Amino acid sequence: MTKEKTGLSIDRRNMLVGLGGMAALSGCSFERKTLISADAHPADYPTVRAVEEMARLLNEYTKGEMKVKSFAGGQLGSERDTLEITSFGGIDFNRVNLAPLNAIEPLTGIASLPFLFKTTQHMRDTLDGEIGDAILASLEPHGLIGLCFYDSGERCFYNTRKPIRTPEDMKGMKIRVQNSDLYVSMIKALGADATPMALGEVYQSLIQGVIDGAENNWPSYENGRHFEAAPFYSLTRHVMTPEILVMSASRWNKLSSENQAHVKKAAKESVGFMRKLWDVRVIEAKERVLAAGVQANEVDDITQFSALMRPVWDKFVKTDQQKELMHAAIELGNSYD
Ligand code: GTR
């Protein structure tokens, strides 16, 4: 593994060596007793707490055999970097957003399509059922075992300049997106310029004017203090791309079938725990940023935004399997009208 390939800093590489990560990377037989998990968010964020709950359950089900230590706050690198390391065994569990997986597995693009999900319940039911299972299963050929989805709420645009009420207001704005071509296309379709960037760089880039805005849910907008630099939060609710918990397939393949079943069970059971934390966190984050002076606005007519998404859907839904899942998700949505 070269620094050029992963973009990992020397510190992070040293940390992984310390953790025995290099042993896994180099294929030597040394096995870490304690598994490690990565998350870009800080320790109190719902995703981190949910993975800790998964770890607690796993430890209980395996009678103390399986232990997980979590490395929160992006200590092990950006989501793109840690996904690469996870896929070849240097990290065991990784909680990321689905967006950086769009480039790795096209099926993940379905749950990232703008304006696909009508409500939170539609999103949850889609991911809890066969559609979600097909997306999770699609990751195995890429060295990742998809374990479960967590909520990530509705993502909206925020910027340093003015309220966005129509797509016209976004013209010429530089908007940071996650590392996903689908997101880049979505921004272009809205008439703005897309700047893919790791989450950890967004605050500084807003302050320095490298970008004019970004898009995220209330908790990440608050947590990253982006609201201080970009106080206009416009309720476009354009995607509900979920979070996902993945495990390294190379680690998974070394587990007994009993322990594999325990991992799956513990992960699935952490979803309800996460959703409870999430719903509370959304309300708290929104209250905090509004109290700090954020100006939130509804857009004039959301169909002005959604009508521009056709080319994005056409570009990223190509295969028969993608089309099948997309239609199934749309059909499921009809009961939420
Ligand atoms: C958050 C998400 C992170 C990351 C971040 C981003 O909502 O929880 O996993 O994807 O957005 O925008 O980079």
PDB file of all heavy atoms in Angstrom, residues 39-41 45 47 79 95-100 151-152 155 158 176-179 183 197-200 202 215-217 219-221 226 241 243 278, ligand 1:
ATOM      1  N   ASP A  39     -15.181   5.409  11.901  1.00  0.00           N
ATOM      2  CA  ASP A  39     -16.312   6.306  11.646  1.00  0.00           C
ATOM      3  C   ASP A  39     -15.770   7.728  11.546  1.00  0.00           C
ATOM      4  O   ASP A  39     -14.866   8.101  12.301  1.00  0.00           O
ATOM      5  CB  ASP A  39     -17.344   6.214  12.792  1.00  0.00           C
ATOM      6  CG  ASP A  39     -18.705   6.767  12.383  1.00  0.00           C
ATOM      7  OD1 ASP A  39     -18.774   7.929  11.916  1.00  0.00           O
ATOM      8  OD2 ASP A  39     -19.707   6.051  12.525  1.00  0.00           O
ATOM      9  N   ALA A  40     -16.325   8.492  10.628  1.00  0.00           N
ATOM     10  CA  ALA A  40     -15.875   9.879  10.447  1.00  0.00           C
ATOM     11  C   ALA A  40     -16.426  10.798  11.539  1.00  0.00           C
ATOM     12  O   ALA A  40     -15.921  11.895  11.744  1.00  0.00           O
ATOM     13  CB  ALA A  40     -16.331  10.394   9.081  1.00  0.00           C
ATOM     14  N   HIS A  41     -17.472  10.347  12.223  1.00  0.00           N
ATOM     15  CA  HIS A  41     -18.131  11.205  13.211  1.00  0.00           C
ATOM     16  C   HIS A  41     -17.543  11.031  14.614  1.00  0.00           C
ATOM     17  O   HIS A  41     -16.973   9.989  14.921  1.00  0.00           O
ATOM     18  CB  HIS A  41     -19.629  10.895  13.242  1.00  0.00           C
ATOM     19  CG  HIS A  41     -20.360  11.368  12.026  1.00  0.00           C
ATOM     20  ND1 HIS A  41     -20.333  12.677  11.610  1.00  0.00           N
ATOM     21  CD2 HIS A  41     -21.135  10.704  11.127  1.00  0.00           C
ATOM     22  CE1 HIS A  41     -21.064  12.806  10.513  1.00  0.00           C
ATOM     23  NE2 HIS A  41     -21.554  11.622  10.192  1.00  0.00           N
ATOM     24  N   TYR A  45     -21.902  10.760  18.274  1.00  0.00           N
ATOM     25  CA  TYR A  45     -22.810  10.796  17.110  1.00  0.00           C
ATOM     26  C   TYR A  45     -23.598   9.470  17.040  1.00  0.00           C
ATOM     27  O   TYR A  45     -23.061   8.405  17.374  1.00  0.00           O
ATOM     28  CB  TYR A  45     -21.978  10.995  15.832  1.00  0.00           C
ATOM     29  CG  TYR A  45     -22.749  11.595  14.670  1.00  0.00           C
ATOM     30  CD1 TYR A  45     -22.953  12.965  14.580  1.00  0.00           C
ATOM     31  CD2 TYR A  45     -23.258  10.781  13.658  1.00  0.00           C
ATOM     32  CE1 TYR A  45     -23.654  13.516  13.503  1.00  0.00           C
ATOM     33  CE2 TYR A  45     -23.957  11.314  12.585  1.00  0.00           C
ATOM     34  CZ  TYR A  45     -24.152  12.690  12.512  1.00  0.00           C
ATOM     35  OH  TYR A  45     -24.843  13.224  11.438  1.00  0.00           O
ATOM     36  N   THR A  47     -24.324   7.338  14.774  1.00  0.00           N
ATOM     37  CA  THR A  47     -23.736   6.200  14.044  1.00  0.00           C
ATOM     38  C   THR A  47     -22.671   5.502  14.901  1.00  0.00           C
ATOM     39  O   THR A  47     -22.600   4.282  14.934  1.00  0.00           O
ATOM     40  CB  THR A  47     -23.078   6.670  12.725  1.00  0.00           C
ATOM     41  OG1 THR A  47     -22.176   7.749  13.020  1.00  0.00           O
ATOM     42  CG2 THR A  47     -24.107   7.120  11.717  1.00  0.00           C
ATOM     43  N   GLU A  79     -13.672   8.758   4.493  1.00  0.00           N
ATOM     44  CA  GLU A  79     -14.487   7.578   4.167  1.00  0.00           C
ATOM     45  C   GLU A  79     -13.934   6.851   2.944  1.00  0.00           C
ATOM     46  O   GLU A  79     -13.913   5.628   2.889  1.00  0.00           O
ATOM     47  CB  GLU A  79     -15.955   7.989   3.968  1.00  0.00           C
ATOM     48  CG  GLU A  79     -16.541   8.517   5.279  1.00  0.00           C
ATOM     49  CD  GLU A  79     -18.053   8.615   5.321  1.00  0.00           C
ATOM     50  OE1 GLU A  79     -18.714   8.415   4.292  1.00  0.00           O
ATOM     51  OE2 GLU A  79     -18.571   8.909   6.418  1.00  0.00           O
ATOM     52  N   ARG A  95     -18.260   2.323   9.243  1.00  0.00           N
ATOM     53  CA  ARG A  95     -19.567   2.966   9.065  1.00  0.00           C
ATOM     54  C   ARG A  95     -19.326   4.173   8.173  1.00  0.00           C
ATOM     55  O   ARG A  95     -18.586   5.074   8.535  1.00  0.00           O
ATOM     56  CB  ARG A  95     -20.125   3.380  10.432  1.00  0.00           C
ATOM     57  CG  ARG A  95     -21.595   3.756  10.447  1.00  0.00           C
ATOM     58  CD  ARG A  95     -21.951   4.984   9.650  1.00  0.00           C
ATOM     59  NE  ARG A  95     -21.098   6.118   9.967  1.00  0.00           N
ATOM     60  CZ  ARG A  95     -21.002   7.225   9.213  1.00  0.00           C
ATOM     61  NH1 ARG A  95     -21.708   7.372   8.101  1.00  0.00           N
ATOM     62  NH2 ARG A  95     -20.165   8.204   9.552  1.00  0.00           N
ATOM     63  N   VAL A  96     -19.950   4.131   7.006  1.00  0.00           N
ATOM     64  CA  VAL A  96     -19.787   5.229   6.047  1.00  0.00           C
ATOM     65  C   VAL A  96     -21.156   5.591   5.480  1.00  0.00           C
ATOM     66  O   VAL A  96     -22.130   4.883   5.692  1.00  0.00           O
ATOM     67  CB  VAL A  96     -18.873   4.830   4.852  1.00  0.00           C
ATOM     68  CG1 VAL A  96     -17.433   4.655   5.302  1.00  0.00           C
ATOM     69  CG2 VAL A  96     -19.387   3.575   4.165  1.00  0.00           C
ATOM     70  N   ASN A  97     -21.200   6.678   4.728  1.00  0.00           N
ATOM     71  CA  ASN A  97     -22.401   6.982   3.970  1.00  0.00           C
ATOM     72  C   ASN A  97     -22.358   6.119   2.705  1.00  0.00           C
ATOM     73  O   ASN A  97     -21.285   5.682   2.274  1.00  0.00           O
ATOM     74  CB  ASN A  97     -22.440   8.475   3.619  1.00  0.00           C
ATOM     75  CG  ASN A  97     -23.792   8.890   3.075  1.00  0.00           C
ATOM     76  OD1 ASN A  97     -23.958   9.069   1.875  1.00  0.00           O
ATOM     77  ND2 ASN A  97     -24.780   9.042   3.944  1.00  0.00           N
ATOM     78  N   LEU A  98     -23.526   5.903   2.109  1.00  0.00           N
ATOM     79  CA  LEU A  98     -23.554   5.058   0.908  1.00  0.00           C
ATOM     80  C   LEU A  98     -22.915   5.758  -0.297  1.00  0.00           C
ATOM     81  O   LEU A  98     -22.437   5.100  -1.223  1.00  0.00           O
ATOM     82  CB  LEU A  98     -25.012   4.694   0.597  1.00  0.00           C
ATOM     83  CG  LEU A  98     -25.257   3.441  -0.240  1.00  0.00           C
ATOM     84  CD1 LEU A  98     -24.694   2.196   0.451  1.00  0.00           C
ATOM     85  CD2 LEU A  98     -26.748   3.245  -0.492  1.00  0.00           C
ATOM     86  N   ALA A  99     -22.878   7.099  -0.268  1.00  0.00           N
ATOM     87  CA  ALA A  99     -22.406   7.852  -1.441  1.00  0.00           C
ATOM     88  C   ALA A  99     -20.985   7.464  -1.902  1.00  0.00           C
ATOM     89  O   ALA A  99     -20.779   7.250  -3.100  1.00  0.00           O
ATOM     90  CB  ALA A  99     -22.515   9.348  -1.196  1.00  0.00           C
ATOM     91  N   PRO A 100     -19.996   7.369  -0.989  1.00  0.00           N
ATOM     92  CA  PRO A 100     -18.670   6.999  -1.499  1.00  0.00           C
ATOM     93  C   PRO A 100     -18.604   5.576  -2.052  1.00  0.00           C
ATOM     94  O   PRO A 100     -17.609   5.203  -2.692  1.00  0.00           O
ATOM     95  CB  PRO A 100     -17.738   7.166  -0.287  1.00  0.00           C
ATOM     96  CG  PRO A 100     -18.592   7.337   0.894  1.00  0.00           C
ATOM     97  CD  PRO A 100     -19.956   7.758   0.433  1.00  0.00           C
ATOM     98  N   ASP A 151     -30.013   5.417   9.470  1.00  0.00           N
ATOM     99  CA  ASP A 151     -30.603   6.636   8.920  1.00  0.00           C
ATOM    100  C   ASP A 151     -29.560   7.734   8.717  1.00  0.00           C
ATOM    101  O   ASP A 151     -28.586   7.826   9.468  1.00  0.00           O
ATOM    102  CB  ASP A 151     -31.643   7.202   9.900  1.00  0.00           C
ATOM    103  CG  ASP A 151     -32.977   6.493   9.771  1.00  0.00           C
ATOM    104  OD1 ASP A 151     -32.976   5.295   9.432  1.00  0.00           O
ATOM    105  OD2 ASP A 151     -34.009   7.142  10.018  1.00  0.00           O
ATOM    106  N   SER A 152     -29.797   8.559   7.727  1.00  0.00           N
ATOM    107  CA  SER A 152     -28.971   9.758   7.576  1.00  0.00           C
ATOM    108  C   SER A 152     -29.853  10.968   7.301  1.00  0.00           C
ATOM    109  O   SER A 152     -29.372  12.045   6.969  1.00  0.00           O
ATOM    110  CB  SER A 152     -27.933   9.569   6.469  1.00  0.00           C
ATOM    111  OG  SER A 152     -26.955  10.582   6.539  1.00  0.00           O
ATOM    112  N   ARG A 155     -31.013  15.315   3.334  1.00  0.00           N
ATOM    113  CA  ARG A 155     -29.902  16.259   3.100  1.00  0.00           C
ATOM    114  C   ARG A 155     -30.453  17.496   2.390  1.00  0.00           C
ATOM    115  O   ARG A 155     -31.280  17.396   1.480  1.00  0.00           O
ATOM    116  CB  ARG A 155     -28.795  15.591   2.268  1.00  0.00           C
ATOM    117  CG  ARG A 155     -28.071  14.485   3.031  1.00  0.00           C
ATOM    118  CD  ARG A 155     -27.014  13.813   2.190  1.00  0.00           C
ATOM    119  NE  ARG A 155     -25.782  14.564   2.088  1.00  0.00           N
ATOM    120  CZ  ARG A 155     -24.643  14.232   2.720  1.00  0.00           C
ATOM    121  NH1 ARG A 155     -24.592  13.188   3.530  1.00  0.00           N
ATOM    122  NH2 ARG A 155     -23.556  14.960   2.544  1.00  0.00           N
ATOM    123  N   TYR A 158     -26.847  24.154   2.073  1.00  0.00           N
ATOM    124  CA  TYR A 158     -26.579  25.338   2.893  1.00  0.00           C
ATOM    125  C   TYR A 158     -25.419  26.086   2.274  1.00  0.00           C
ATOM    126  O   TYR A 158     -24.575  25.497   1.595  1.00  0.00           O
ATOM    127  CB  TYR A 158     -26.284  24.970   4.351  1.00  0.00           C
ATOM    128  CG  TYR A 158     -25.282  23.862   4.578  1.00  0.00           C
ATOM    129  CD1 TYR A 158     -23.916  24.137   4.726  1.00  0.00           C
ATOM    130  CD2 TYR A 158     -25.705  22.533   4.679  1.00  0.00           C
ATOM    131  CE1 TYR A 158     -23.002  23.120   4.968  1.00  0.00           C
ATOM    132  CE2 TYR A 158     -24.793  21.511   4.912  1.00  0.00           C
ATOM    133  CZ  TYR A 158     -23.447  21.804   5.062  1.00  0.00           C
ATOM    134  OH  TYR A 158     -22.553  20.795   5.284  1.00  0.00           O
ATOM    135  N   ARG A 176     -19.815  21.849  -2.246  1.00  0.00           N
ATOM    136  CA  ARG A 176     -19.059  20.631  -1.901  1.00  0.00           C
ATOM    137  C   ARG A 176     -19.996  19.426  -1.896  1.00  0.00           C
ATOM    138  O   ARG A 176     -21.134  19.507  -1.414  1.00  0.00           O
ATOM    139  CB  ARG A 176     -18.438  20.780  -0.507  1.00  0.00           C
ATOM    140  CG  ARG A 176     -17.762  19.504   0.010  1.00  0.00           C
ATOM    141  CD  ARG A 176     -18.691  18.575   0.784  1.00  0.00           C
ATOM    142  NE  ARG A 176     -18.055  17.304   1.081  1.00  0.00           N
ATOM    143  CZ  ARG A 176     -18.580  16.360   1.846  1.00  0.00           C
ATOM    144  NH1 ARG A 176     -19.763  16.526   2.392  1.00  0.00           N
ATOM    145  NH2 ARG A 176     -17.942  15.230   2.043  1.00  0.00           N
ATOM    146  N   VAL A 177     -19.508  18.327  -2.479  1.00  0.00           N
ATOM    147  CA  VAL A 177     -20.263  17.080  -2.423  1.00  0.00           C
ATOM    148  C   VAL A 177     -19.356  15.969  -1.922  1.00  0.00           C
ATOM    149  O   VAL A 177     -18.134  16.114  -1.887  1.00  0.00           O
ATOM    150  CB  VAL A 177     -20.848  16.662  -3.799  1.00  0.00           C
ATOM    151  CG1 VAL A 177     -21.992  17.556  -4.200  1.00  0.00           C
ATOM    152  CG2 VAL A 177     -19.772  16.608  -4.871  1.00  0.00           C
ATOM    153  N   GLN A 178     -19.970  14.848  -1.556  1.00  0.00           N
ATOM    154  CA  GLN A 178     -19.200  13.663  -1.193  1.00  0.00           C
ATOM    155  C   GLN A 178     -18.526  13.129  -2.468  1.00  0.00           C
ATOM    156  O   GLN A 178     -18.866  13.548  -3.571  1.00  0.00           O
ATOM    157  CB  GLN A 178     -20.121  12.602  -0.613  1.00  0.00           C
ATOM    158  CG  GLN A 178     -20.902  13.086   0.582  1.00  0.00           C
ATOM    159  CD  GLN A 178     -21.668  11.959   1.248  1.00  0.00           C
ATOM    160  OE1 GLN A 178     -21.088  11.111   1.909  1.00  0.00           O
ATOM    161  NE2 GLN A 178     -22.968  11.944   1.063  1.00  0.00           N
ATOM    162  N   ASN A 179     -17.602  12.195  -2.284  1.00  0.00           N
ATOM    163  CA  ASN A 179     -16.918  11.635  -3.444  1.00  0.00           C
ATOM    164  C   ASN A 179     -17.831  10.655  -4.171  1.00  0.00           C
ATOM    165  O   ASN A 179     -17.777   9.450  -3.964  1.00  0.00           O
ATOM    166  CB  ASN A 179     -15.626  10.940  -3.003  1.00  0.00           C
ATOM    167  CG  ASN A 179     -14.533  11.960  -2.781  1.00  0.00           C
ATOM    168  OD1 ASN A 179     -14.156  12.688  -3.706  1.00  0.00           O
ATOM    169  ND2 ASN A 179     -14.060  12.066  -1.564  1.00  0.00           N
ATOM    170  N   TYR A 183     -23.501  12.449  -7.187  1.00  0.00           N
ATOM    171  CA  TYR A 183     -23.694  13.743  -6.529  1.00  0.00           C
ATOM    172  C   TYR A 183     -23.182  14.889  -7.403  1.00  0.00           C
ATOM    173  O   TYR A 183     -23.780  15.957  -7.454  1.00  0.00           O
ATOM    174  CB  TYR A 183     -22.979  13.763  -5.168  1.00  0.00           C
ATOM    175  CG  TYR A 183     -23.829  13.229  -4.029  1.00  0.00           C
ATOM    176  CD1 TYR A 183     -24.296  11.919  -4.031  1.00  0.00           C
ATOM    177  CD2 TYR A 183     -24.153  14.034  -2.947  1.00  0.00           C
ATOM    178  CE1 TYR A 183     -25.064  11.428  -2.988  1.00  0.00           C
ATOM    179  CE2 TYR A 183     -24.928  13.546  -1.891  1.00  0.00           C
ATOM    180  CZ  TYR A 183     -25.370  12.242  -1.927  1.00  0.00           C
ATOM    181  OH  TYR A 183     -26.144  11.768  -0.891  1.00  0.00           O
ATOM    182  N   MET A 197     -15.112  16.537  -2.027  1.00  0.00           N
ATOM    183  CA  MET A 197     -14.140  16.848  -0.967  1.00  0.00           C
ATOM    184  C   MET A 197     -14.465  15.987   0.252  1.00  0.00           C
ATOM    185  O   MET A 197     -15.631  15.653   0.479  1.00  0.00           O
ATOM    186  CB  MET A 197     -14.350  18.336  -0.654  1.00  0.00           C
ATOM    187  CG  MET A 197     -13.562  18.950   0.415  1.00  0.00           C
ATOM    188  SD  MET A 197     -14.120  20.675   0.686  1.00  0.00           S
ATOM    189  CE  MET A 197     -13.381  21.554  -0.656  1.00  0.00           C
ATOM    190  N   ALA A 198     -13.445  15.651   1.043  1.00  0.00           N
ATOM    191  CA  ALA A 198     -13.695  14.883   2.275  1.00  0.00           C
ATOM    192  C   ALA A 198     -14.389  15.786   3.293  1.00  0.00           C
ATOM    193  O   ALA A 198     -14.181  17.002   3.316  1.00  0.00           O
ATOM    194  CB  ALA A 198     -12.385  14.370   2.844  1.00  0.00           C
ATOM    195  N   LEU A 199     -15.189  15.175   4.138  1.00  0.00           N
ATOM    196  CA  LEU A 199     -15.971  15.920   5.135  1.00  0.00           C
ATOM    197  C   LEU A 199     -15.084  16.814   6.009  1.00  0.00           C
ATOM    198  O   LEU A 199     -15.430  17.955   6.305  1.00  0.00           O
ATOM    199  CB  LEU A 199     -16.745  14.924   6.017  1.00  0.00           C
ATOM    200  CG  LEU A 199     -17.647  15.501   7.097  1.00  0.00           C
ATOM    201  CD1 LEU A 199     -18.789  16.301   6.501  1.00  0.00           C
ATOM    202  CD2 LEU A 199     -18.212  14.391   7.982  1.00  0.00           C
ATOM    203  N   GLY A 200     -13.931  16.290   6.399  1.00  0.00           N
ATOM    204  CA  GLY A 200     -13.035  17.008   7.298  1.00  0.00           C
ATOM    205  C   GLY A 200     -12.502  18.323   6.738  1.00  0.00           C
ATOM    206  O   GLY A 200     -11.970  19.147   7.487  1.00  0.00           O
ATOM    207  N   VAL A 202     -14.429  20.476   4.884  1.00  0.00           N
ATOM    208  CA  VAL A 202     -15.522  21.370   4.496  1.00  0.00           C
ATOM    209  C   VAL A 202     -15.544  22.680   5.293  1.00  0.00           C
ATOM    210  O   VAL A 202     -15.669  23.766   4.713  1.00  0.00           O
ATOM    211  CB  VAL A 202     -16.884  20.645   4.605  1.00  0.00           C
ATOM    212  CG1 VAL A 202     -18.033  21.586   4.278  1.00  0.00           C
ATOM    213  CG2 VAL A 202     -16.914  19.439   3.671  1.00  0.00           C
ATOM    214  N   GLU A 215     -23.985  20.321   1.301  1.00  0.00           N
ATOM    215  CA  GLU A 215     -25.315  19.783   1.573  1.00  0.00           C
ATOM    216  C   GLU A 215     -25.187  18.660   2.590  1.00  0.00           C
ATOM    217  O   GLU A 215     -24.248  17.869   2.532  1.00  0.00           O
ATOM    218  CB  GLU A 215     -26.018  19.342   0.281  1.00  0.00           C
ATOM    219  CG  GLU A 215     -25.224  18.492  -0.673  1.00  0.00           C
ATOM    220  CD  GLU A 215     -25.312  17.037  -0.325  1.00  0.00           C
ATOM    221  OE1 GLU A 215     -26.444  16.534  -0.234  1.00  0.00           O
ATOM    222  OE2 GLU A 215     -24.261  16.396  -0.134  1.00  0.00           O
ATOM    223  N   ASN A 216     -26.098  18.669   3.546  1.00  0.00           N
ATOM    224  CA  ASN A 216     -26.062  17.624   4.567  1.00  0.00           C
ATOM    225  C   ASN A 216     -27.332  17.691   5.413  1.00  0.00           C
ATOM    226  O   ASN A 216     -28.159  18.590   5.235  1.00  0.00           O
ATOM    227  CB  ASN A 216     -24.820  17.770   5.459  1.00  0.00           C
ATOM    228  CG  ASN A 216     -24.190  16.410   5.746  1.00  0.00           C
ATOM    229  OD1 ASN A 216     -24.901  15.453   6.053  1.00  0.00           O
ATOM    230  ND2 ASN A 216     -22.884  16.334   5.636  1.00  0.00           N
ATOM    231  N   ASN A 217     -27.449  16.725   6.326  1.00  0.00           N
ATOM    232  CA  ASN A 217     -28.576  16.703   7.257  1.00  0.00           C
ATOM    233  C   ASN A 217     -28.306  17.668   8.431  1.00  0.00           C
ATOM    234  O   ASN A 217     -27.178  18.128   8.612  1.00  0.00           O
ATOM    235  CB  ASN A 217     -28.791  15.268   7.748  1.00  0.00           C
ATOM    236  CG  ASN A 217     -27.478  14.652   8.231  1.00  0.00           C
ATOM    237  OD1 ASN A 217     -26.750  15.281   9.001  1.00  0.00           O
ATOM    238  ND2 ASN A 217     -27.155  13.472   7.764  1.00  0.00           N
ATOM    239  N   PRO A 219     -27.938  17.105  11.714  1.00  0.00           N
ATOM    240  CA  PRO A 219     -26.882  16.734  12.674  1.00  0.00           C
ATOM    241  C   PRO A 219     -25.459  16.963  12.148  1.00  0.00           C
ATOM    242  O   PRO A 219     -24.599  17.444  12.890  1.00  0.00           O
ATOM    243  CB  PRO A 219     -27.146  15.239  12.932  1.00  0.00           C
ATOM    244  CG  PRO A 219     -28.622  15.113  12.757  1.00  0.00           C
ATOM    245  CD  PRO A 219     -28.922  16.006  11.578  1.00  0.00           C
ATOM    246  N   SER A 220     -25.204  16.666  10.878  1.00  0.00           N
ATOM    247  CA  SER A 220     -23.836  16.875  10.374  1.00  0.00           C
ATOM    248  C   SER A 220     -23.548  18.359  10.152  1.00  0.00           C
ATOM    249  O   SER A 220     -22.423  18.811  10.332  1.00  0.00           O
ATOM    250  CB  SER A 220     -23.607  16.108   9.070  1.00  0.00           C
ATOM    251  OG  SER A 220     -23.437  14.743   9.351  1.00  0.00           O
ATOM    252  N   TYR A 221     -24.568  19.090   9.775  1.00  0.00           N
ATOM    253  CA  TYR A 221     -24.436  20.548   9.591  1.00  0.00           C
ATOM    254  C   TYR A 221     -24.044  21.193  10.921  1.00  0.00           C
ATOM    255  O   TYR A 221     -23.166  22.056  10.987  1.00  0.00           O
ATOM    256  CB  TYR A 221     -25.790  21.072   9.109  1.00  0.00           C
ATOM    257  CG  TYR A 221     -25.961  22.558   8.928  1.00  0.00           C
ATOM    258  CD1 TYR A 221     -25.106  23.299   8.126  1.00  0.00           C
ATOM    259  CD2 TYR A 221     -27.038  23.216   9.545  1.00  0.00           C
ATOM    260  CE1 TYR A 221     -25.320  24.671   7.949  1.00  0.00           C
ATOM    261  CE2 TYR A 221     -27.259  24.567   9.362  1.00  0.00           C
ATOM    262  CZ  TYR A 221     -26.386  25.295   8.570  1.00  0.00           C
ATOM    263  OH  TYR A 221     -26.598  26.638   8.382  1.00  0.00           O
ATOM    264  N   HIS A 226     -20.512  23.663  10.469  1.00  0.00           N
ATOM    265  CA  HIS A 226     -20.636  24.294   9.152  1.00  0.00           C
ATOM    266  C   HIS A 226     -21.603  25.480   9.215  1.00  0.00           C
ATOM    267  O   HIS A 226     -21.492  26.421   8.447  1.00  0.00           O
ATOM    268  CB  HIS A 226     -21.135  23.276   8.111  1.00  0.00           C
ATOM    269  CG  HIS A 226     -20.208  22.119   7.911  1.00  0.00           C
ATOM    270  ND1 HIS A 226     -20.489  21.061   7.084  1.00  0.00           N
ATOM    271  CD2 HIS A 226     -18.988  21.851   8.435  1.00  0.00           C
ATOM    272  CE1 HIS A 226     -19.495  20.194   7.115  1.00  0.00           C
ATOM    273  NE2 HIS A 226     -18.578  20.644   7.935  1.00  0.00           N
ATOM    274  N   THR A 241     -29.865   9.558   1.131  1.00  0.00           N
ATOM    275  CA  THR A 241     -28.849   8.500   1.036  1.00  0.00           C
ATOM    276  C   THR A 241     -28.503   8.009   2.445  1.00  0.00           C
ATOM    277  O   THR A 241     -28.095   8.811   3.289  1.00  0.00           O
ATOM    278  CB  THR A 241     -27.569   9.063   0.373  1.00  0.00           C
ATOM    279  OG1 THR A 241     -27.942   9.805  -0.783  1.00  0.00           O
ATOM    280  CG2 THR A 241     -26.620   7.944   0.001  1.00  0.00           C
ATOM    281  N   GLU A 243     -26.768   5.793   5.717  1.00  0.00           N
ATOM    282  CA  GLU A 243     -25.461   5.322   6.184  1.00  0.00           C
ATOM    283  C   GLU A 243     -25.463   3.802   6.039  1.00  0.00           C
ATOM    284  O   GLU A 243     -26.526   3.175   5.987  1.00  0.00           O
ATOM    285  CB  GLU A 243     -25.257   5.668   7.673  1.00  0.00           C
ATOM    286  CG  GLU A 243     -25.723   7.030   8.105  1.00  0.00           C
ATOM    287  CD  GLU A 243     -24.831   8.160   7.626  1.00  0.00           C
ATOM    288  OE1 GLU A 243     -23.905   7.896   6.834  1.00  0.00           O
ATOM    289  OE2 GLU A 243     -25.077   9.312   8.015  1.00  0.00           O
ATOM    290  N   TRP A 278     -31.184   8.822  16.434  1.00  0.00           N
ATOM    291  CA  TRP A 278     -31.168   9.724  15.281  1.00  0.00           C
ATOM    292  C   TRP A 278     -32.311  10.737  15.341  1.00  0.00           C
ATOM    293  O   TRP A 278     -32.116  11.940  15.158  1.00  0.00           O
ATOM    294  CB  TRP A 278     -31.229   8.914  13.977  1.00  0.00           C
ATOM    295  CG  TRP A 278     -31.236   9.803  12.771  1.00  0.00           C
ATOM    296  CD1 TRP A 278     -32.298  10.102  11.982  1.00  0.00           C
ATOM    297  CD2 TRP A 278     -30.125  10.558  12.268  1.00  0.00           C
ATOM    298  NE1 TRP A 278     -31.921  10.987  11.011  1.00  0.00           N
ATOM    299  CE2 TRP A 278     -30.590  11.288  11.159  1.00  0.00           C
ATOM    300  CE3 TRP A 278     -28.793  10.678  12.647  1.00  0.00           C
ATOM    301  CZ2 TRP A 278     -29.770  12.142  10.423  1.00  0.00           C
ATOM    302  CZ3 TRP A 278     -27.968  11.520  11.909  1.00  0.00           C
ATOM    303  CH2 TRP A 278     -28.450  12.238  10.812  1.00  0.00           C
TER     304      TRP A 278
HETATM  305  C1  GTR B   1     -22.830  12.744   6.838  1.00  0.00           C
HETATM  306  C2  GTR B   1     -22.572  11.266   6.879  1.00  0.00           C
HETATM  307  C3  GTR B   1     -21.102  10.965   6.753  1.00  0.00           C
HETATM  308  C4  GTR B   1     -20.526  11.662   5.537  1.00  0.00           C
HETATM  309  C5  GTR B   1     -20.897  13.116   5.551  1.00  0.00           C
HETATM  310  C6  GTR B   1     -20.369  13.833   4.310  1.00  0.00           C
HETATM  311  O1  GTR B   1     -24.205  12.997   6.890  1.00  0.00           O
HETATM  312  O2  GTR B   1     -23.011  10.747   8.109  1.00  0.00           O
HETATM  313  O3  GTR B   1     -20.927   9.586   6.672  1.00  0.00           O
HETATM  314  O4  GTR B   1     -21.011  11.069   4.413  1.00  0.00           O
HETATM  315  O5  GTR B   1     -22.291  13.305   5.646  1.00  0.00           O
HETATM  316  O6  GTR B   1     -21.080  14.652   3.768  1.00  0.00           O
HETATM  317  O7  GTR B   1     -19.222  13.564   3.937  1.00  0.00           O
END
